[in-house]
């Protein structure tokens, strides 16, 4: 019996000594300076869940770009932390929603629909892929992250 009591006491000591803090967590506050809307993380939140809670008004990629201290696996998001869920609109000729970094001098915009590709957007307009990527830096080189409903620059 003494052996069992010793093990229980050692486990109790380890649990109180090495446990992660559950109170006095400070908000991360590590979001971009253009942040205009924040959200306080609650237990059970995930990064995608926060995007969904905000009505999918921004993408998961935008969430990560606005909150650079949140890991891309979302494994370091904790209750009580404050994260950015909106930024000041970029001054462009395109109506919202747009992706971050869109060319400020954009004069012609296109709203993406499901099934669009970079080529299906650029070719009919006589726009080179190089220009399209330069005017829309959030678009990845595989053009696999176009967001239906978002406006992209197709002319400056």
């Amino acid at each position: 019996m003494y052996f069992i009591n010793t093990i229980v006491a050692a486990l109790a000591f380890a649990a109180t000594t090495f446990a992660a803090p559950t109170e006095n967590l400070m908000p991360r506050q590590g979001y971009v300076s253009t942040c205009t809307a924040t959200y306080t993380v609650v237990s059970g939140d995930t990064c995608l869940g926060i995007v969904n809670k905000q009505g999918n008004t921004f993408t998961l990629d935008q969430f990560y770009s606005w909150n650079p201290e949140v890991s891309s696996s979302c494994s370091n998001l904790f209750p009580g932390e404050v994260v950015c869920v909106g930024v000041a609109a970029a001054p462009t000729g395109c109506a919202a929603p747009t992706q971050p970094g869109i060319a400020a001098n954009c004069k012609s915009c296109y709203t993406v629909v499901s099934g669009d590709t970079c080529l299906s957007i650029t070719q009919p307009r006589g726009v080179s892929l190089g220009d399209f990527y330069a005017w829309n830096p959030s678009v990845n080189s595989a053009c696999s992250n176009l967001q239906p409903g978002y406006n992209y620059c197709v002319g400056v």
Side-chain angles (χ1 to χ4, degrees), residues 5-20:
N5 287 342
T6 304
I7 290 175
V8 169
L11 290 174
F13 172 77
T16 58
T17 304
F18 302 109

Side-chain angles (χ1 to χ4, degrees), residues 12-153:
F13 172 77
T16 58
T17 304
F18 302 109
T22 57
E23 54 187 56
N24 298 325
L25 288 176
M26 297 301 295
R28 178 175 285 127
Q29 301 292 330
Y31 42 77
V32 295
S33 62
T34 56
C35 186
T36 58
T38 59
Y39 171 81
T40 302
V41 176
V42 297
S43 181
D45 273 342
T46 64
C47 293
L48 185 57
I50 292 170
V51 172
N52 292 336
K53 281 183 179 181
Q54 301 298 313
N56 293 306
T57 56
F58 54 90
T59 67
L60 190 56
D61 287 339
Q62 286 174 307
F63 177 83
Y64 288 131
S65 71
W66 299 338
N67 298 283
E69 290 187 19
V70 175
S71 70
S72 61
S73 64
C74 199
S75 60
N76 63 338
L77 195 66
F78 300 102
E81 291 184 296
V82 177
V83 293
C84 182
V85 294
V87 295
T92 70
C94 296
T98 60
Q99 295 289 333
I102 190 170
N105 60 339
C106 188
K107 302 228 182 308
S108 182
C109 305
Y110 174 79
T111 304
V112 168
V113 296
S114 182
D116 274 342
T117 65
C118 287
L119 284 176
S120 72
I121 295 168
T122 58
Q123 281 184 337
R125 291 162 184 81
V127 174
S128 74
L129 282 175
D131 284 342
F132 183 76
Y133 288 127
W135 301 333
N136 301 283
S138 66
V139 177
N140 64 31
S141 61
C143 196
S144 61
N145 63 338
L146 292 174
Q147 298 293 316
Y150 277 72
N151 288 309
Y152 292 82
C153 184

